[in-house]
Amino acid sequence: MPTATDQARGERVELAIEGMTCASCATRIEKRLNKLDGVSASVNFASEHAAVTFDPGLRSVDDLVGAVEAAGYHAALPHDELPDEDPARPWLSRLLVAVVLSVPVAVLAWVSPASPGWRWVSLALATPVVLYAGWPFHRAAALNARHRAATMDTLISIGTLAAWLWSLVVLITGMTQDIYLDAAALITALVLLGRYFEARAKRSSGDALRKLLELGAKQARVIRDGEERLVPVEQLQVGDLFVVRPGEKVATDGTIESGASAVDASMLTGESVPVEVAVGDQVAGATINTSGRIVVRATRVGSQTALAQIARLVSDAQAGKAPVQRLADRVSAVFVPVVIGISLLTLAGWLLAGASATAAFTAAVAVIVIACPCALGLATPTALMVGTGRGAQLGIVIRGPEILERTRQVTTIVLDKTGTVTEGRMAVAAVVAGPGTPVDELLLLAAGAESASEHPIARAIAEYGRAQLGAIPAAEDFRNQAGLGIQAVVHDHAVLVGRPSYLSEWSVQLTDDLREQADQLEQAGNTVVAVAWDGAARGLIAVADQIKPSSPEAISDLKALGLRPVLLTGDNERAARTVAQQVGIEHVLAGVLPDQKAAEITRLQQQGEVVAMVGDGINDAPALAQADLGLAIGTGTDVAIEASDLTLVSGDLRAAGDAIRLARRTLATIKANLFWAFAYNVAAIPLAVAGLLNPIIAAATMSFSSVFVVTNSLRLRRFRSRRETA
């Protein structure tokens, strides 16, 4: 499958493939594409798509399409939206013909009327079934034969035509041997029935992604020349102002310019409670405005919106292959030729053993019909499609199938504190001025210096300063030392704001009184920064971050999954311990600077731990990438999301447990499907070789195996998150 490195070096395109009928087809197309220089491809039989990464300097899209068509299939760039036509419909008319005509053929065979003409009646009824209803199998088999390949259709075509031709020869020559027109007709009908149900079930497995793509608004009320104009959403451009009335969908991602409301974002986040929004807040396209009128300025349109990005991530994940699928692919590649060989050996073996031609022929046909690599080919992609689709509905984006195996292996989960366990919105809890320093002056200079920083603590101090003083001065000569503090010139004063250790680097020490008060504030769970100017410590500012209400339950859920939670923060030990105690975490890594987070993950891995990391900020990205499993809180930055394996679109930490449970459930479903598919063939083929399996029963069982695998995958749609059951 395409790797991250491949994607970095080339272009990626997704092709819609037509004509695949089993896993062997997908394997053939994949091999043909991967033989091209500069091409890496993964073909998904269930979704009927190929994910291809190629070097545009060596290959073009036309080359890729040509390679697929040279293999005997059709390829094209898919439409932006998933097709609405029912893939089961093409099978329906042929299925109806097969059922209507094969039933009387079976009745005649079982009753065996006294009239000698009943065999010819059976031939007249069975011929349209085998030649018309079964035509897709024969056409595909002939096409594959021209390319020196064999697929599941080859087995079906050989089995039904052999039974029909044998019966025709018996009738024309007047021989007294048994005929197999009932087997030829019923096998065709049963396989068509299986393909029909399989097509319907495969469509159901992609329903979640299809519905996700249909969520977007179709029109927008754009403000142009001071008037509202209703235009198609495709005409929206970045910077446009548009109006969203109560009950309407937000047309695209944007920032609220005026108005206030509550927005239902459940289709993206899985959260059922509407979120209050006001001027300056971000809103996502496809969310629903539940109350007030708001005016939004578009910031992202088209393929750049949150909805489109989620859909693309889910689609990419569905196009990939899990490691557990590789064995199935290797088996499918050689399965059909091996089965044909076993069938011929069965025929020869029975004849050499002195059995009648009828018994030998029956056993040989049963071997061909019973063998079905379709279940192997459907085992992984259908479960992956349903699992990732259900995840998207719950605000969980699984980046790729290889992630599933990692979720089972994880032993420790490291949680960034700010914005992950806590709300991430720091607020000033106390301002302590030293002797001879007015509180207002302390706050004025500290807020002015911090106004140039984007750090959560800095923003909290700056916002508090504005709220208390009305206006704050601008900082000059601003410099930041990540994780420690800042320096700036404010009102001609050289101001330092940061950790006491940062002030020490400038030979500035806290007084005993300030140090004692700092200890007391830290023991209460606050983060304390010291403020100094002109070479002397002037006071303290304590800030606190509220714990998310869902965090204690989330930690309990992670423990129930067998994971050891670890709190990771740049805060001091006391503040970190206070937060950890409130949410139920025993292990704390405090005082960790942003550039040290990845090193802490590495240290845990060197101790033998398989580490998951949950974070939301830019400084979390290296740690997310270093972890065995990275989970990004979707309310965070794009950089963090790009570095992660799982994205939690909502800010609810309970989604982390949901994501791991869903991924594990999906992996378990894949393994159950593969077990069934392998066990079915391991048990059925020897029975057929031994002559203990009637070809008709074999056809019914073969069709059922594929339907069973898809239906088992569909059970993932009933997965319930902790947030839904809370």
Side-chain angles (χ1 to χ4, degrees), residues 398-435:
I398 302 172
R399 295 292 296 269
E402 67 280 355
I403 307 305
L404 304 178
E405 191 70 36
R406 295 187 214 162
T407 62
R408 185 183 63 83
Q409 300 165 345
V410 168
T411 59
T412 295
I413 184 163
V414 177
L415 305 141
D416 177 59
K417 181 179 77 69
T418 305
T420 302
V421 175
T422 63
E423 294 285 2
R425 292 192 298 272
M426 290 288 190
V428 173
V431 178
V432 179

Side-chain angles (χ1 to χ4, degrees), residues 54-129:
F54 65 100
D55 184 344
L58 297 175
R59 297 294 173 187
S60 66
V61 174
D62 289 341
D63 293 333
L64 306 178
V65 172
V68 174
E69 294 186 343
Y73 304 88
H74 179 67
L77 292 172
H79 299 296
D80 290 336
E81 299 199 6
L82 297 180
D84 290 329
E85 62 267 19
D86 185 354
R89 183 170 296 175
W91 297 103
L92 187 57
S93 60
R94 297 182 188 275
L95 173 62
L96 291 175
V97 170
V99 170
V100 169
L101 297 181
S102 62
V103 169
V105 173
V107 171
L108 287 172
W110 297 334
V111 174
S112 298
S115 171
W118 73 268
R119 289 187 165 193
W120 291 98
V121 173
S122 293
L123 178 64
L125 293 171
T127 299
V129 176

Side-chain angles (χ1 to χ4, degrees), residues 362-724:
T362 300
V365 170
V367 169
I368 287 178
V369 174
I370 193 64
C372 175
C374 291
L376 286 174
L378 291 168
T380 294
T382 52
L384 194 60
M385 288 173 70
V386 181
T388 54
R390 179 59 180 147
Q393 291 176 329
L394 297 173
I396 299 166
V397 181
I398 302 172
R399 295 292 296 269
E402 67 280 355
I403 307 305
L404 304 178
E405 191 70 36
R406 295 187 214 162
T407 62
R408 185 183 63 83
Q409 300 165 345
V410 168
T411 59
T412 295
I413 184 163
V414 177
L415 305 141
D416 177 59
K417 181 179 77 69
T418 305
T420 302
V421 175
T422 63
E423 294 285 2
R425 292 192 298 272
M426 290 288 190
V428 173
V431 178
V432 179
T437 302
V439 172
D440 285 354
E441 184 181 12
L442 175 71
L443 183 58
L444 182 75
L445 295 181
E450 293 282 34
S451 65
S453 173
E454 290 299 318
H455 192 280
I457 292 177
R459 287 201 302 267
I461 294 173
E463 289 173 5
Y464 184 75
R466 291 189 187 96
Q468 295 297 313
L469 306 174
I472 56 176
E476 299 175 0
D477 295 332
F478 174 85
R479 295 181 185 179
N480 173 58
Q481 190 165 344
L484 293 175
I486 60 100
Q487 57 175 301
V489 175
V490 182
H491 282 180
D492 296 325
H493 293 290
V495 181
L496 300 174
V497 183
R499 299 183 180 196
S501 59
Y502 176 65
L503 270 63
S504 297
E505 294 180 6
W506 293 84
S507 301
V508 176
Q509 305 296 329
L510 295 183
T511 64
D512 292 341
D513 181 56
L514 287 178
R515 189 174 301 281
E516 183 179 343
Q517 292 191 64
D519 289 342
Q520 292 174 355
L521 289 169
E522 287 180 352
Q523 288 175 4
N526 299 294
T527 298
V528 179
V529 295
V531 183
W533 63 80
D534 299 339
R538 307 290 181 169
L540 308 169
I541 298 179
V543 294
D545 186 8
Q546 297 298 312
I547 293 171
K548 292 179 180 178
S550 61
S551 290
E553 182 184 346
I555 300 303
S556 177
D557 188 24
L558 292 172
K559 288 180 177 179
L561 290 169
L563 304 178
R564 181 182 71 131
V566 176
L567 187 67
L568 178 68
T569 179
D571 283 351
N572 63 78
E573 181 80 17
R574 290 175 181 172
R577 288 285 176 190
T578 300
V579 171
Q581 186 176 8
Q582 290 175 339
V583 298
I585 296 178
E586 292 82 22
H587 306 279
V588 175
L589 297 174
V592 180
L593 298 178
D595 58 355
Q596 296 173 348
K597 289 184 176 181
E600 289 294 334
I601 299 298
T602 302
R603 186 177 62 81
L604 288 170
Q605 291 170 328
Q606 289 172 345
Q607 293 173 359
E609 301 288 344
V610 179
V611 182
M613 167 72 187
V614 187
D616 73 326
I618 291 176
N619 58 27
D620 294 327
L624 288 168
Q626 175 62 39
D628 299 287
L629 182 70
L631 297 89
I633 297 288
T635 52
T637 65
D638 290 342
V639 176
I641 292 170
E642 284 299 318
S644 69
D645 301 309
L646 291 165
T647 299
L648 315 177
V649 181
S650 77
D652 192 329
L653 187 57
R654 289 177 297 180
D658 290 337
I660 292 173
R661 285 190 298 111
L662 176 60
R664 288 180 176 180
R665 184 84 57 84
T666 303
L667 179 64
T669 301
I670 289 173
K671 290 185 174 181
N673 287 347
L674 289 172
F675 171 79
W676 168 261
F678 277 116
Y680 159 80
N681 282 294
V682 168
I685 292 179
L687 291 175
V689 171
L692 301 176
L693 206 58
N694 183 284
I696 297 173
I697 302 300
T701 308
M702 179 269 291
S703 298
F704 172 75
S705 69
S706 294
V707 175
F708 171 84
V709 163
V710 179
T711 305
N712 186 48
S713 298
L714 291 175
R715 294 191 305 125
L716 286 168
R717 295 192 298 184
R718 299 200 296 268
F719 176 85
R720 300 277 289 175
S721 75
R722 287 285 187 261
R723 292 164 290 159
E724 290 178 314

Side-chain angles (χ1 to χ4, degrees), residues 312-383:
R312 185 164 57 250
L313 288 172
V314 174
S315 180
D316 289 349
Q318 293 181 350
K321 290 185 178 180
V324 292
Q325 177 67 15
R326 292 171 188 158
L327 176 60
D329 286 347
R330 289 197 294 270
V331 171
S332 296
V334 300
F335 193 84
V336 174
V338 168
V339 167
I340 293 174
I342 293 174
S343 177
L344 293 174
L345 289 174
T346 300
L347 178 66
W350 276 80
L351 291 174
L352 290 174
S356 65
T358 298
F361 181 78
T362 300
V365 170
V367 169
I368 287 178
V369 174
I370 193 64
C372 175
C374 291
L376 286 174
L378 291 168
T380 294
T382 52

